[in-house]
Amino acid sequence: MSLQLSIPDSVLRAIRLPEQRIEQELLCELAVALYTEKLLSFGKARELAQMDKYEFGQLLAQRQVLRHYGAEELEDDLRYARSE
């Protein structure tokens, strides 16, 4: 399943970014917003933002967003540690 959002041209033109960066920036903004509202886990938010764990963690730190650390994140970290 995938979802396409329709953003009016007037809004896209108003975004003060080079055209080639708009999609990636909007994905990052959406990922951070959904993570902040606890609607997405860290792993799914970073997947949406198309970033690795470190990059997304850095982005959250820059935005002063506290990490939510629950059972799912612990399991992810343990799985990652075992694979090393």
Side-chain angles (χ1 to χ4, degrees):
M1 180 170 129
S2 67
L3 172 71
Q4 288 187 333
L5 296 175
S6 179
I7 300 172
D9 286 339
S10 62
V11 173
L12 288 173
R13 284 192 298 274
I15 297 174
R16 295 182 180 109
L17 287 170
E19 187 176 329
Q20 64 273 15
R21 284 188 44 211
I22 291 175
E23 182 176 350
Q24 179 59 41
E25 293 293 329
L26 290 177
L27 287 172
C28 286
E29 292 300 323
L30 181 58
V32 169
L34 292 173
Y35 179 78
T36 301
E37 295 299 318
K38 298 182 181 178
L39 297 172
L40 276 182
S41 68
F42 180 87
K44 290 301 178 186
R46 72 157 192 86
E47 184 180 332
L48 177 61
Q50 301 172 352
M51 295 179 160
D52 65 26
K53 285 183 175 187
Y54 180 78
E55 290 172 317
F56 193 65
Q58 290 296 106
L59 177 61
L60 293 179
Q62 290 168 359
R63 303 286 181 85
Q64 298 180 347
V65 174
L66 296 177
R67 289 273 311 262
H68 317 153
Y69 198 83
E72 184 177 341
E73 287 78 17
L74 176 60
E75 287 177 29
D76 285 347
D77 286 345
L78 291 173
R79 235 185 337 271
Y80 179 76
R82 288 183 194 119
S83 69
E84 291 294 307

